[in-house]
Amino acid sequence: AASITQLAPTDAGSKDLVHRDSPQNLTNTAWAYATLSFRHLPLLDAIASASIATITAFEPQNLANPAWAGSNLSVASSPLLSAIAAQALPTLSSFEPQSLANTAWAFSTLGVYHAP
């Protein structure tokens, strides 16, 4: 069986790995690493960068997952959180209760306030 460190991409490969992924793959990867409490900062930075570039394609769950992951790992990417907030505000009525709760919890836990 592979250890978690064997599953992590190399620092150099992180950006290439996530740059071509879909919003769901990006956010599920962030969620999985956070669930394992594994802070791979180069990968998380690459996910944040790729997510910001495609944030308008994100569904509510795709917005909630990276916010929750960052909060769970105590990693706050201000540019990503700002992009999530800007994309979420006009679509809050389409959020499932769990996605809304996870997003609100993440912002609160990280001490992030985003004025409309």
Side-chain angles (χ1 to χ4, degrees), residues 32-51:
Y33 274 70
T35 299
L36 294 170
S37 298
F38 187 71
R39 292 179 74 189
H40 188 278
L41 295 179
L43 177 63
L44 295 172
D45 287 344
I47 289 171
S49 178
S51 295

Side-chain angles (χ1 to χ4, degrees), residues 10-86:
T10 64
D11 291 355
S14 295
K15 196 168 212 165
D16 292 336
L17 179 70
V18 300
H19 193 66
R20 60 183 180 267
D21 268 333
S22 70
Q24 184 173 353
N25 288 344
L26 289 171
T27 63
N28 285 353
T29 302
W31 176 88
Y33 274 70
T35 299
L36 294 170
S37 298
F38 187 71
R39 292 179 74 189
H40 188 278
L41 295 179
L43 177 63
L44 295 172
D45 287 344
I47 289 171
S49 178
S51 295
I52 291 167
T54 59
I55 200 83
T56 59
F58 279 34
E59 299 291 329
Q61 182 70 43
N62 303 136
L63 296 169
N65 280 352
W68 178 87
S71 183
N72 194 50
L73 294 171
S74 299
V75 176
S77 168
S78 294
L80 176 58
L81 292 171
S82 292
I84 289 170

Side-chain angles (χ1 to χ4, degrees), residues 92-106:
L92 283 178
S93 63
S94 67
F95 274 61
E96 293 292 328
Q98 186 69 52
S99 294
L100 183 59
N102 286 350
T103 305
W105 175 84

